[in-house]
Amino acid sequence: MKRHILLDLLVTFMKIGLFTFGGGYAMISMIESCCVEKKKWISHDDMMNITVIAESTPGPIAINCATFMGYEQAGFLGALAATVGIILPSFGVIYGISMLLDNVLEITWIANAFQGIKIAVGILILDVAVTMIKKMPKKPMARLIMWVSFAAMFFINMFHLKFSSIGLMMAAAAVSLAVFAMGGKDSQKDGSGWPEGAGEKGSQGTKGGERK
C-alpha cells in the first residue's frame, strides 16, 4: 500500500512538473486540480493552509507545496517522492534547453509559442487567486486584510517602492493575531470560559430537564 502511494505521488507530481509552465503560482492550480479535486488527498481548506505555509517558508512555493502534500500522505518518504517528482522534469527540460539555448531561441515558432505561454501563465495565476478568494472565510476582517494587501502591493509595484512582500505578509499576520487575541478576550469577558453559544445550549438543556 505504501509503495502504491509513493509511486502515485511521484507520477502525479512529475506530470505537474512536466506540463505546467510559469513557475510556482501557476503550478498551484494544477496541484489543487490533481490532489484536491481528482484524488481527494486533502480538502480545499487544507490546500489553502498548505499554500500559506509554503509561501511563508523559504524555497519555491510549488516545491514546498509538493513536500507538504507528500508528507501528509506518506511521511518523509512521501515528501521525498513528491519533491523529486516535481523537480525532476523541470531539471531535465532546463538542462536540455541550456545546452541548445542559442539555437532554440532563434527558432521562430518556439519564440512565438513562448509569447502565448506567457499569457496562459497569467491566466493560471489569476485562476489561483480567484479560487483562493472564493475559499476565504466570509468574514469582514479577512476581506479587509485581503483588499488592503492588494492595494498595498498595487501601489508598491506602480511606484516601484522598495518593500518586500514578506514584510506585507508579516504585517497581515500581526493584524490577524491581534484580532484573534482581542476576540479571545472578548469571549472570556463573562468569566465563564465557555465558547460563544455554549451557555445558550446549556440553558436549553437545563430547561428541558425541568420540563421532564
Side-chain angles (χ1 to χ4, degrees):
M1 182 65 182
K2 194 167 185 178
R3 289 183 179 179
H4 173 73
I5 188 64
L6 290 176
L7 182 60
D8 199 5
L9 284 166
L10 180 66
V11 173
T12 298
F13 282 99
M14 282 187 70
K15 289 178 181 178
I16 293 171
L18 184 61
F19 295 107
T20 307
F21 296 89
Y25 289 102
M27 284 184 176
I28 291 176
S29 179
M30 289 287 293
I31 292 173
E32 183 169 12
S33 176
C34 292
C35 301
V36 178
E37 297 175 3
K38 293 181 180 179
K39 296 186 177 293
K40 309 292 183 183
W41 282 342
I42 59 172
S43 65
H44 285 285
D45 291 337
D46 290 336
M47 182 64 200
M48 284 192 67
N49 292 334
I50 287 175
T51 303
V52 172
I53 294 171
E55 175 64 19
S56 306
T57 51
I61 186 171
I63 297 175
N64 290 346
C65 279
T67 303
F68 282 119
M69 190 80 66
Y71 187 82
E72 286 289 323
Q73 297 303 310
F76 174 77
L77 291 178
L80 183 63
T83 303
V84 170
I86 203 166
I87 290 175
L88 198 59
S90 301
F91 174 79
V93 171
I94 293 298
Y95 181 75
I97 290 177
S98 65
M99 298 178 65
L100 306 169
L101 183 61
D102 295 334
N103 295 330
V104 167
L105 294 178
E106 290 175 358
I107 301 175
T108 304
W109 67 269
I110 291 181
N112 293 333
F114 273 104
Q115 294 298 322
I117 289 172
K118 290 179 181 178
I119 299 173
V121 167
I123 294 173
L124 284 173
I125 295 174
L126 180 62
D127 177 67
V128 173
V130 171
T131 301
M132 293 187 71
I133 290 172
K134 288 181 179 178
K135 298 294 187 299
M136 279 180 60
K138 304 292 190 295
K139 297 180 179 179
M141 183 54 64
R143 299 289 181 178
L144 178 62
I145 292 174
M146 179 194 73
W147 286 114
V148 170
S149 300
F150 174 79
M153 290 302 299
F154 178 79
F155 283 108
I156 288 169
N157 289 325
M158 283 291 293
F159 295 102
H160 304 286
L161 302 177
K162 293 182 178 181
F163 188 84
S164 173
S165 58
I166 297 175
L168 189 61
M169 291 176 60
M170 296 299 292
V175 172
S176 297
L177 286 172
V179 172
F180 176 79
M182 292 172 62
K185 290 179 181 179
D186 291 340
S187 65
Q188 294 178 2
K189 281 183 178 179
D190 59 353
S192 64
W194 289 94
E196 185 179 354
E200 295 177 1
K201 292 180 181 178
S203 62
Q204 289 174 2
T206 304
K207 291 178 181 178
E210 291 174 355
R211 288 173 187 170
K212 291 181 181 178

